[in-house]
Amino acid sequence: MATLYLICEDRSAVERYEIGDRPLVVGRGELADVRIRDEALSRQHFLLLQEDGSYLIEDLNSRNGTWVGGRRVLAAKLRHNDCILAGHTLFRFNERHVTATRFQREAGPHGTVVLPATPEPEYEAQSSA
């Protein structure tokens, strides 16, 4: 199961949302599964879903766009540690559970905040018993 982290100004993860078999809609509206108070977000801004063992993100015709790794996307396959920017809100996608919840951040073009790929964090051991 993958996780979507909401990242705050000090680079810490303030919220986490599990991405399971059911699609997850992120936005500011009442119908969103993950509701974020950000006027720059559309009511239903983007969708995360699992398909054939991969995780995908789809922009839901948002007015400000969905950005993955500093590039605007309509639909894309997500990779571990991808940074997602929607409105003024920053997220980090993790395909595996991580124990670290602090991420490196730097400024990109047009004042965009970019989270570059960081070295692999330590992972919790999972037994296969």
Side-chain angles (χ1 to χ4, degrees):
M1 184 177 304
T3 306
L4 181 70
Y5 290 95
L6 173 63
I7 308 300
C8 72
E9 288 295 319
D10 70 356
R11 297 183 322 261
S12 65
V14 292
E15 296 285 336
R16 65 182 261 176
Y17 309 95
E18 300 297 329
I19 307 165
D21 296 332
R22 194 172 72 81
L24 189 70
V25 175
V26 177
R28 64 177 169 83
E30 291 182 21
L31 297 177
D33 300 306
V34 174
R35 281 180 261 169
I36 306 293
R37 296 177 74 188
D38 177 349
E39 287 301 315
L41 279 177
S42 295
R43 286 181 181 88
Q44 293 185 24
H45 200 99
F46 65 87
L47 169 78
L48 297 169
L49 68 141
Q50 183 179 13
E51 186 176 280
D52 298 327
S54 295
Y55 290 91
L56 307 173
I57 187 169
E58 292 181 15
D59 182 81
L60 298 175
N61 296 317
S62 66
R63 67 176 178 232
N64 292 321
T66 300
W67 302 76
V68 176
R71 295 176 190 219
R72 190 171 186 168
V73 298
L74 297 177
K77 182 177 177 179
L78 290 171
R79 296 176 306 177
H80 181 66
N81 274 339
D82 269 346
C83 170
I84 301 166
L85 179 65
H88 300 296
T89 306
L90 195 57
F91 301 91
R92 174 75 78 161
F93 169 79
N94 283 295
E95 201 164 359
R96 301 172 294 265
H97 180 71
V98 296
T99 56
T101 57
R102 221 167 163 72
F103 303 104
Q104 183 179 358
R105 187 172 102 174
E106 62 185 53
H110 311 290
T112 302
V113 175
V114 178
L115 291 179
T118 57
E120 288 294 315
E122 295 179 30
Y123 296 96
E124 290 181 2
Q126 296 180 1
S127 64
S128 57

